[in-house]
Amino acid sequence: MSDVEVQRSSAHVTTIRLNRPGRLNALTFDLVAELHSALDEVAADDDCRVVVLRGAGRGFCSGLDLKGWGSPPAVGAHPRMRAGMDAQTFMSDVIPHIRETPQVVVAAVSGPAFGGGLALACAADLRLADETARFCSAFIRTGLSGTDIGITYLLPRLVGAAPAFDLILTGREIDAAEALRIGLVSRVAPAGEIDALVAEYTDRLVDYTTVGLRTTKDVLWHNLDAPSLAAALAVEIRNQNLMAHEPEVRQYMADYASRTTGRRTD
């Protein structure tokens, strides 16, 4: 049985499911290798606009499997295992890989998202949860530092420095309500109803153009680190000017104009 499943959920939406439910989808090198491959698969699917990242069973991902995480592939045995790359780098590389994936990635969190699982959720473009979700930056609990798999970059940018320092230094667990309050997730569904919330978001997203979604994702992440408003505007202006010549965009705008013609604006 595969540790990661890839399945077309609906038109333009693909689900990547971590599939070790007996271990709450804990990370091993085999799972990470399969996740890398799954991300490459969806990135090559031009019909896919949105990717839903989720876990099988009762959890999203409980972090590194401390009972046995295995070994990374040999150099060259996997496309993401390159010369000079060590085990830590191979596992951490899944975070920028999610960010590099051209589709919008939506993390659907039920149950625990601990340690590396929290980092996977943070690497997504949107995070949705249900009331069973629990979040913990558990790295410091191992006796090592709290700095692992990109969490010290991702979490402060999502929730701000003070809440991120709190969660990373203390290793304390928070529930879905607190995650919503601090801005870690966008919405929280009742327990067992996350599928409906995910569908609400994906149905809205796939109504937009493929190139529009990809470009917006790219600019959002680049401008998060922009050194100035002027630099951010330069990227936005360039992309809007380029997008105006895309055939998909021109057709979408023509269709939009025809739908709104005659609509009252008062």
Side-chain angles (χ1 to χ4, degrees):
M1 183 174 65
S2 175
D3 287 345
V4 176
E5 296 179 340
V6 180
Q7 181 181 19
R8 176 57 61 88
S9 308
S10 60
H12 310 301
V13 180
T14 297
T15 294
I16 296 178
R17 181 178 285 103
L18 310 183
N19 191 37
R20 300 186 70 223
R23 297 290 298 151
L24 293 176
N25 306 308
L27 299 176
T28 64
F29 282 107
D30 286 344
L31 184 149
V32 169
E34 290 188 32
L35 181 53
H36 276 303
S37 296
L39 292 167
D40 285 337
E41 180 180 339
V42 296
D45 182 359
D46 200 42
D47 191 51
C48 178
R49 298 180 186 177
V50 180
V51 175
V52 178
L53 179 63
R54 64 191 316 166
R58 298 182 298 108
F60 178 74
C61 175
S62 58
L64 184 66
D65 192 337
L66 298 178
K67 289 189 175 181
W69 53 80
S71 301
V75 172
H78 188 282
R80 300 292 292 201
M81 190 60 176
R82 301 178 292 274
M85 182 177 280
D86 58 21
Q88 179 73 27
T89 305
F90 178 75
M91 185 166 287
S92 298
D93 190 48
V94 77
I95 300 303
H97 199 170
I98 292 171
R99 292 273 297 274
E100 293 162 8
T101 301
Q103 293 86 358
V104 175
V105 179
V106 179
V109 183
S110 297
F114 280 27
L118 175 60
L120 291 178
C122 288
D125 305 302
L126 294 167
R127 282 152 299 284
L128 306 173
D130 70 12
E131 291 174 339
T132 70
R134 293 174 291 123
F135 302 87
C136 179
S137 181
F139 304 109
I140 203 164
R141 293 183 177 188
T142 65
L144 297 169
S145 78
T147 64
D148 201 0
I149 198 168
I151 198 65
T152 57
Y153 179 91
L154 296 167
L155 195 57
R157 282 165 173 76
L158 293 173
V159 304
F165 280 38
D166 174 356
L167 297 177
I168 292 170
L169 284 168
T170 66
R172 70 181 181 87
E173 178 183 328
I174 63 172
D175 61 13
E178 184 169 357
L180 180 63
R181 180 178 61 78
I182 66 174
L184 179 56
V185 300
S186 297
R187 296 268 297 279
V188 175
E193 297 184 21
I194 194 168
D195 288 349
L197 181 59
V198 169
E200 177 187 335
Y201 269 72
T202 58
D203 287 350
R204 175 184 289 268
L205 290 167
V206 299
D207 274 348
Y208 304 131
T209 62
T210 301
V211 67
L213 290 171
R214 293 175 185 173
T215 300
T216 303
K217 170 176 175 166
D218 184 60
V219 173
L220 277 168
W221 284 114
H222 275 89
N223 278 352
L224 195 64
D225 292 327
S228 66
L229 174 59
L233 284 169
V235 176
E236 289 186 350
I237 292 165
R238 181 203 66 183
N239 279 277
Q240 292 296 76
N241 286 334
L242 290 172
M243 291 277 289
H245 300 284
E246 288 283 341
E248 183 189 15
V249 173
R250 295 173 71 90
Q251 183 62 54
Y252 185 95
M253 293 178 72
D255 292 344
Y256 181 82
S258 66
R259 291 196 305 269
T260 58
T261 299
R263 183 180 297 173
R264 292 183 62 181
T265 59
D266 57 345

